[in-house]
Amino acid sequence: LTTTEWTKHFDKCRGYLENLSPSDLVMFAETVAFDKVSLERVSRRIRLDVVRQCLKLAKQYHIDKMPKIGSEEEWNDAARTLQSYLSHLQRIADGVLDEAVDPSNPVVQSYTTEFELSRGIPEKLEAMLLRCAMSETKPGLLQSLLSCCPPNTVDKQPTDIYSDAISLAAEQLRNPEKKLHDVFDVMTPEEVLERILRQVLEESDDMFVGDMVLDLLRPFCLDSSVAIHVRLKVLEILEKNVSLSTDDENLLLLLQVQTLIWSEWPDYELDECTELDADTRQAMFDELLQRCTTLSGFVVLGKLLQCGEPLDSTSELDPEKNPWTQLIGHMLLVCDGSSDLDAAESLFLAAIKNCNLSLECCRYIFCEFEKKNSLIHILRAFLQTDYVQLHNDAIAFLRRSEKVSECDYDETVVNRILQLRMLPDMVSTPLYQPVIEHLIANRGSTEKHLSIEEAIRSLTDANMLPEAGTLLLQSSRTHPAMCTFNAAVNAARRWLRGTASEP
């Protein structure tokens, strides 16, 4: 419609509009100018004109003193409201959004629509900004939307809005039975909180921001009425995103310890005033180890040893004094099933990862595993150490094994054997062929330990020419019938001559 055509249509309805009350006239303007369907079907130019004409009708009371429904004060209020609507639409028509954001961006479109539908009402603008703070990771979007808000509508900075969002997420965690915002339909409060923290810290290098976040969430984390696992999750999110104070770190450690211990020993006394220094934690571990008789309990104690700074005793060379060897040794003494051995293996791998477990301690644990006669656990665990002696012990155990089936090794084992360049040690063992098959199956890999050439070199260095030649022929897809002993040796010699002649 042209402006003239639109004016004619509006004039036909004027008689009806003049008989509307102040509130109905405002509602009519809202329905035409600020409705999602209208945004799709009616141009902004026409919607602007609707609001403008409605504003004229509201002001006409003062000019013509026409008898209307409603008091003078109500018409004054209606005129002020319509004037603010007109100003809001005019700002958008003048390009305030286009200058600040890219309306064609799908991420931004929903916000530009919400901005226009807000009618410039402060509460609606703040709701839009709050949703943006909780939902989006686009850098600078919140600041851009905030800059579009009319003066004196949203008296806040981005950090204020982020603060509101953090407080709302914390309140949602405190009251999970209520839904405090639609965002929580698609994201958990923890996810929202983590997203907010990442975003606010990316947008500001100011240390004040980190302190602000801690100040907002510290009361929540200290609130004993909130479930421990919830507070623990929030503290872990904080730990990943901001620098915790000493008190906050102590609280995090305490909640971690409480969560672990009470999951297995709910009667254990540990209040939030407990000072978890090294001596207290050591005494706690010693007491609980004596009480422990279940697989889950040993797993909990393993996690307990990984909380906070390592105990001084974890660097003990004497197996009888090292908590890791005490834990795994006691576990292998009490537990005997396959899943128990898996758990013991996991604890051992955690031990060598978290502390420099001595050779003596590792040997002690090796002997305990040896008593269980489980080849896969010995190979998988002790080939992961940095001790050559233990590698040799594991291979010696393999050689002593009477029967080796596919249950006695896995891809982790054969891959580790190649990483350690122990292929020559596998010759004449039941694992040699599986290792070769793994090597050939991964011939296209860029990883050095899976290089056929490296494997052949390790075999020739060990003076194992038949094996080196056979691998060379197999890797070149030579028919098995052609892989005779002489052919293999000759192939290895040719390969050696070729490598020797290379510059």
Side-chain angles (χ1 to χ4, degrees):
L1 292 175
T2 65
T3 304
T4 304
E5 289 171 332
W6 167 250
T7 302
K8 287 180 181 179
H9 282 291
F10 191 86
D11 286 341
K12 289 180 182 179
C13 300
R14 187 179 295 275
Y16 298 106
L17 296 175
E18 287 176 348
N19 291 313
L20 293 178
S21 68
S23 60
D24 288 338
L25 184 63
V26 171
M27 186 183 298
F28 170 77
E30 291 174 351
T31 304
V32 175
F34 301 105
D35 183 83
K36 281 189 176 180
V37 177
S38 295
L39 257 65
E40 296 171 3
R41 299 183 180 179
V42 183
S43 71
R44 188 177 291 129
R45 175 180 56 80
I46 292 176
R47 289 186 288 112
L48 260 169
D49 201 46
V50 168
V51 177
R52 190 177 291 112
Q53 295 296 335
C54 288
L55 177 59
K56 285 182 180 179
L57 287 173
K59 289 181 175 180
Q60 195 171 332
Y61 176 83
H62 301 289
I63 300 170
D64 299 337
K65 301 297 182 183
M66 294 171 57
K68 291 180 179 289
I69 302 171
S71 66
E72 181 177 357
E73 184 179 352
E74 288 175 323
W75 282 108
N76 286 338
D77 289 342
R80 279 193 293 271
T81 299
L82 291 167
Q83 180 63 61
S84 69
Y85 290 175
L86 183 64
S87 300
H88 174 67
L89 270 182
Q90 190 61 58
R91 278 171 55 81
I92 297 172
D94 291 342
V96 66
L97 283 172
D98 298 333
E99 292 174 4
V101 295
D102 177 13
S104 64
N105 186 324
V107 173
V108 176
Q109 280 176 357
S110 68
Y111 293 103
T112 57
T113 299
E114 189 173 352
F115 184 91
E116 188 158 354
L117 293 176
S118 73
R119 293 169 273 157
I121 296 173
E123 292 78 13
K124 290 185 176 292
L125 290 171
E126 287 192 24
M128 174 199 67
L129 295 169
L130 184 65
R131 181 170 75 87
C132 177
M134 291 195 292
S135 305
E136 301 305 336
T137 56
K138 182 177 171 58
L141 179 57
L142 180 63
Q143 177 64 64
S144 298
L145 290 172
L146 185 58
S147 69
C148 297
C149 296
N152 305 318
T153 54
V154 181
D155 186 21
K156 291 185 176 182
Q157 296 298 316
T159 49
D160 299 319
I161 298 163
Y162 282 126
S163 295
D164 293 342
I166 290 169
S167 298
L168 184 62
E171 192 60 28
Q172 183 66 72
L173 285 168
R174 196 187 300 273
N175 299 288
E177 70 283 354
K178 300 178 183 178
K179 190 185 77 171
L180 302 180
H181 198 282
D182 290 342
V183 166
F184 300 122
D185 285 334
V186 292
M187 287 189 291
T188 66
E190 293 92 341
E191 289 171 335
V192 169
L193 191 58
E194 191 154 17
R195 176 174 287 188
I196 294 169
L197 293 185
R198 279 201 308 267
Q199 188 69 12
V200 72
L201 293 168
E202 281 176 13
E203 292 186 5
S204 175
D205 297 328
D206 194 343
M207 289 294 293
F208 164 76
V209 175
D211 293 339
M212 175 202 74
V213 170
L214 287 172
D215 289 342
L216 282 169
L217 290 174
R218 189 176 288 113
F220 173 85
C221 295
L222 289 168
D223 187 352
S224 58
S225 67
V226 180
I228 286 179
H229 73 275
V230 176
R231 292 187 286 152
L232 180 58
K233 179 65 176 176
V234 171
L235 273 167
E236 288 171 345
I237 291 171
L238 284 171
E239 185 185 33
K240 284 194 293 184
N241 291 280
V242 300
S243 298
L244 297 181
S245 68
T246 302
D247 288 342
D248 293 323
E249 287 178 346
N250 289 338
L251 177 61
L252 172 60
L253 177 60
L254 180 63
L255 292 182
Q256 287 173 331
V257 169
Q258 280 182 328
T259 303
L260 286 169
I261 291 179
W262 287 347
S263 68
E264 190 65 26
W265 297 281
D267 60 332
Y268 191 86
E269 292 187 12
L270 182 63
D271 60 45
E272 295 191 4
C273 297
T274 304
E275 182 68 32
L276 285 180
D277 55 26
D279 291 340
T280 303
R281 290 168 57 211
Q282 182 68 57
M284 188 185 302
F285 173 82
D286 293 339
E287 178 186 347
L288 292 174
L289 182 61
Q290 294 302 314
R291 293 171 58 174
C292 191
T293 57
T294 63
L295 172 62
S296 58
F298 289 116
V299 171
V300 164
L301 288 179
K303 292 178 179 178
L304 197 61
L305 285 176
Q306 297 173 66
C307 285
E309 290 295 318
L311 295 172
D312 292 340
S313 56
T314 58
S315 59
E316 279 281 354
L317 302 180
D318 184 350
E320 293 185 2
K321 296 179 180 178
N322 191 295
W324 281 109
T325 52
Q326 290 177 321
L327 172 63
I328 299 170
H330 193 44
M331 180 180 186
L332 290 171
L333 185 66
V334 173
C335 306
D336 201 30
S338 177
S339 60
D340 300 331
L341 292 176
D342 288 342
E345 177 195 330
S346 296
L347 285 178
F348 176 71
L349 294 176
I352 61 175
K353 178 183 177 182
N354 285 276
C355 68
N356 189 21
L357 210 58
S358 69
L359 176 60
E360 293 84 351
C361 289
C362 289
R363 271 241 165 89
Y364 174 86
I365 297 172
F366 182 94
C367 292
E368 295 303 312
F369 267 103
E370 205 171 20
K371 294 174 185 176
K372 300 299 180 180
N373 201 35
S374 176
L375 177 59
I376 188 169
H377 291 100
I378 286 178
L379 292 175
R380 209 160 50 192
F382 295 95
L383 289 180
Q384 291 296 331
T385 70
D386 293 329
Y387 297 116
V388 175
Q389 300 95 318
L390 287 174
H391 302 164
N392 294 333
D393 290 345
I395 300 306
F397 186 84
L398 166 64
R399 293 183 186 280
R400 293 196 302 272
S401 301
E402 295 180 1
K403 291 183 179 180
V404 176
S405 69
E406 291 184 357
C407 298
D408 293 315
Y409 63 90
D410 60 13
E411 188 174 332
T412 303
V413 172
V414 295
N415 201 53
R416 182 61 176 164
I417 286 169
L418 290 169
Q419 286 177 333
L420 295 171
R421 293 177 57 84
M422 296 184 73
L423 181 60
D425 298 289
M426 293 298 105
V427 175
S428 76
T429 74
L431 279 192
Y432 180 69
Q433 192 55 37
V435 174
I436 292 297
E437 289 171 0
H438 178 76
L439 189 61
I440 293 175
N442 291 276
R443 75 177 81 212
S445 174
T446 57
E447 295 185 66
K448 188 176 180 180
H449 71 279
L450 293 174
S451 163
I452 298 287
E453 187 171 304
E454 286 294 318
I456 293 171
R457 182 174 286 108
S458 70
L459 290 168
T460 56
D461 288 347
N463 202 29
M464 295 178 172
L465 295 187
E467 288 79 9
T470 301
L471 175 56
L472 188 61
L473 293 172
Q474 286 177 323
S475 66
S476 61
R477 295 185 173 86
T478 302
H479 192 279
M482 303 295 291
C483 296
T484 63
F485 178 84
N486 289 335
V489 172
N490 289 333
R493 286 172 176 165
R494 285 195 300 273
W495 183 86
L496 282 171
R497 285 196 297 271
T499 55
S501 63
E502 291 177 1

